[in-house]
Every structure is written in C-alpha cells, then in structure tokens.
Amino acid sequence: MGPPGAGKGTQASRLAGRMGVPAVSTGDIFRANVASGTDLGRAAQGYMDAGEYVPDELTNAMVRDRLAQPDAADGFLLDGYPRTTAQVGELDDMLAAAGHALDVVVELVVDVEELVARLSQRSSEQGRSDDSEQVVRRRMQVYAEQTAPLVEVYSARGLLRRVDGMGEVDEVTDRLLAAVGTLHA
Ligand code: ADP
C-alpha cells in the first residue's frame, strides 16, 4: 500500500522477482487492457483518466481471474489492491475460498513533497495520462479518503509493516526484503 508516487509498482516487480512470485499490479493490468482496447479497458479508461477508482465489481472480477491463474497458486504479491473496504472483503473471501491467507501488508511511506516531485518527473518522462497535475491531486484525495483508512484495518489484524520509501530505489528494496524477510527464505 501507499499513495500515488510511493514507488509501489517499481518495488513490487523487484520484490516479486526476489521472492519468486508474480506481481499482480491492478494499475498495470488496467493500462494493458486500455492499450489493447479490450472491453475492460474501455470500461476502465474514463475512471483512470479522471483519477477515480475503477468500480469495485470490475476490479474484483479482474483480480479474481488473475489470482486463479496457475502461476499464482503458490503465492503472489498484490500491488494496488485492495484499495477500498469492499475490495478488502472480496479479497478475504477469495483467499478463504482458496485456503490461503495474507502473510503481510506493507505500507510504503513517502513525504508528500517527494510524492509530488516523483509524479511530475514521471509525467514528463512517461506521459501517463493520469499524471497531469490536476488528476494527480484527485488521485491523492481519493487515496486519502478511500485507501488510507485500510492501513488501520490491516494494522488491527497485526499484518502491517511500515517501510520508509524515501531514498534510492535499491535501498528501499533492501528495506522491503528485510520487512518480509521471514517469507522469502
Ligand atoms: P497509482 O498508485 O500511482 O495511482 P496505479 O497504477 O496503481 O497508480 O493505478 C492507476 C489507476 O488504476 C488508479 O488511479 C485507478 O483508476 C485504477 N486502479 C488501480 N487499482 C485499482 C483498484 N484496486 N481499484 C480501483 N481502481 C484501481
């Protein structure tokens, strides 16, 4: 977990590679569907471009499909899901039905000035359609309203580890590996 610009995507693929599990990034899957013009992509694009969350029913169905793939049978790393209370409940159901459970939830913590700097850098480098200043502001607000409260939910379950996301990418990866250390032996 972490706000836009915290480095979730970058770190998720590194961490998943080191742990030998697939990274399941809902933002990446939505962007791939937009790029290839699928029905899901068409349904999601307007929400994404406005900085809003894609409706829970679409997102939940997509994650359910993805986690049913054989490569996720022995574990996976979720990036960008769950982001709403309803998604937490749906994930709980999916995992319970499969006889699985979450091992750990990581929150990447980054200063707000650093988030803004990273996103404006990414906007000029990658031209992601939701990285304009106005849309970034909305994404931050949606995160604060809908997703930040989930940190407390997972904290109350004893699953949360807070990791400092400031500094070099490699340093952050090392901190994350230390935080999940007992899982990837
Ligand atoms: P970031 O975390 O930097 O905002 P992501 O790539 O994770 O970027 O997500 C981009 C967009 O994809 C979100 O703003 C939202 O529209 C959509 N999205 C991703 N994950 C979810 C989710 N779990 N629920 C609803 N919408 C999502």
Side-chain angles (χ1 to χ4, degrees):
M1 301 186 63
K8 296 186 300 293
T10 302
Q11 296 296 342
S13 61
R14 291 173 147 240
L15 199 56
R18 295 280 285 270
M19 297 175 75
V21 296
V24 174
S25 165
T26 45
D28 284 351
I29 301 173
F30 281 132
R31 279 187 290 280
N33 276 274
V34 169
S36 58
T38 66
D39 287 347
L40 178 63
R42 271 189 291 278
Q45 183 165 26
Y47 297 102
M48 297 173 74
D49 286 348
E52 304 295 337
Y53 287 164
V54 176
D56 285 330
E57 310 78 68
L58 285 177
T59 306
N60 286 333
M62 177 182 89
V63 171
R64 189 179 280 281
D65 276 1
R66 179 62 189 88
L67 296 186
Q69 301 299 310
D71 67 331
D74 293 329
F76 47 81
L77 191 159
L78 288 165
D79 159 25
Y81 184 94
R83 271 173 143 116
T84 66
T85 306
Q87 291 178 15
V88 170
E90 186 77 9
L91 178 61
D92 286 342
D93 290 349
M94 284 182 225
L95 294 175
H100 293 313
L102 289 178
D103 293 309
V104 61
V105 175
V106 176
E107 181 191 13
L108 262 183
V109 181
V110 173
D111 291 353
V112 109
E113 301 80 51
E114 174 70 11
L115 295 177
V116 171
R118 288 183 187 178
L119 288 165
S120 84
Q121 171 95 1
R122 186 168 79 187
S123 171
S124 56
E125 284 172 5
Q126 297 178 12
R128 225 175 86 169
S129 61
D130 60 350
D131 276 346
S132 71
E133 196 185 325
Q134 191 193 350
V135 175
V136 162
R137 212 173 286 132
R138 179 63 190 150
R139 284 162 57 205
M140 298 276 195
Q141 191 181 10
V142 172
Y143 181 84
E145 288 170 4
Q146 300 202 44
T147 306
L150 306 188
V151 166
E152 292 313 314
V153 171
Y154 287 119
S155 177
R157 294 187 192 182
L159 292 174
L160 190 74
R161 315 229 174 130
R162 288 197 165 84
V163 172
D164 178 6
M166 300 286 288
E168 298 295 323
V169 173
D170 281 343
E171 286 169 12
V172 177
T173 305
D174 287 345
R175 286 182 209 132
L176 286 164
L177 285 166
V180 302
T182 49
L183 302 174
H184 77 109

